Amino acid sequence: MINVRIALETDLETILEIYNDAIMNTTAVYDYEPHTLEMRKQWFRIKEAQGYPVFVAEDNGRVVGFSSIGPWRAWAAYKYSVENSIYVAADQRGKGIGKKLLEPLIEAAKQLDLHAIIAGIDATNEVSINLHRHFGFTETGTFKQVGFKFGRWLDLTFMQLLLKTPEQPVDG
């Protein structure tokens, strides 16, 4: 039975393992070197300070995936837009955990009065693209050959979900 909850600092070691596996073995992260626990702690503190949630999926007490939202871009006018991230442990993929982790992100974005959720997905990652389509995300474009990993060029597809929030957006 998969349970999704807000992440705790005690989850960071397992979150780090899942993330580093994605770095080292997939094109889900366009990075080459594994992150450290201190990097993950800093990432977590920044999420908390910005008011963005991090969720974990647990199966019988084991963290098997995590998801988060964070700023899309640094300029002020992007304040209603966020980017989402979802990672599932290698031995747990294909079990619907991504769906369980994306749903609370969308709800959190609504509660935070956000308007756009953006996903940057490796163009060959059909599972993630289909997951986002399932929740109403639409493809907005693909940047060709913007990454290079595992000896090949990588294309990055962007998808977007527009929310009905906020009811009365404001400048500044």
Side-chain angles (χ1 to χ4, degrees):
M1 177 80 171
I2 303 296
N3 176 48
V4 176
R5 62 170 172 79
I6 292 288
L8 305 171
E9 191 164 342
T10 54
D11 299 317
L12 291 179
E13 285 187 33
T14 307
I15 287 172
L16 177 65
E17 289 174 21
I18 294 167
Y19 192 73
N20 280 342
D21 176 72
I23 290 173
M24 301 307 294
N25 299 302
T26 77
T27 56
V29 181
Y30 287 13
D31 206 349
Y32 299 123
E33 299 298 323
H35 287 197
T36 65
L37 184 57
E38 187 52 43
M39 291 166 76
R40 237 353 57 173
K41 286 180 179 179
Q42 181 179 1
W43 166 84
F44 191 69
R45 286 190 292 267
I46 290 169
K47 295 284 185 199
E48 286 184 321
Q50 293 173 331
Y52 293 123
V54 176
F55 295 98
V56 294
E58 270 186 329
D59 186 7
N60 293 318
R62 175 187 169 210
V63 172
V64 295
F66 72 97
S67 63
S68 65
I69 54 175
W72 163 238
R73 299 192 74 187
W75 294 283
Y78 291 110
K79 67 183 176 179
Y80 295 113
S81 299
V82 289
E83 184 171 9
N84 76 308
S85 298
I86 303 166
Y87 299 95
V88 177
D91 66 337
Q92 299 296 306
R93 295 181 190 137
K95 298 181 177 181
I97 295 168
K99 284 182 183 176
K100 292 183 181 291
L101 286 165
L102 183 50
E103 191 168 18
L105 286 183
I106 294 169
E107 289 307 312
K110 291 175 185 175
Q111 292 299 315
L112 291 168
D113 232 11
L114 298 169
H115 185 63
I117 304 173
I118 299 156
I121 305 168
D122 183 80
T124 63
N125 190 342
E126 283 297 320
V127 171
S128 186
I129 289 169
N130 288 332
L131 167 66
H132 285 80
R133 277 189 192 131
H134 175 80
F135 283 92
F137 283 71
T138 57
E139 292 180 39
T140 56
T142 298
F143 290 99
K144 301 290 186 183
Q145 299 182 6
V146 294
F148 188 83
K149 189 173 179 181
F150 302 134
R152 62 187 169 92
W153 289 108
L154 306 175
D155 298 343
L156 186 62
T157 295
F158 281 93
M159 299 184 78
Q160 176 184 45
L161 177 66
L162 292 179
L163 306 172
K164 294 180 180 178
T165 52
E167 287 186 25
Q168 296 185 16
V170 294
D171 291 337

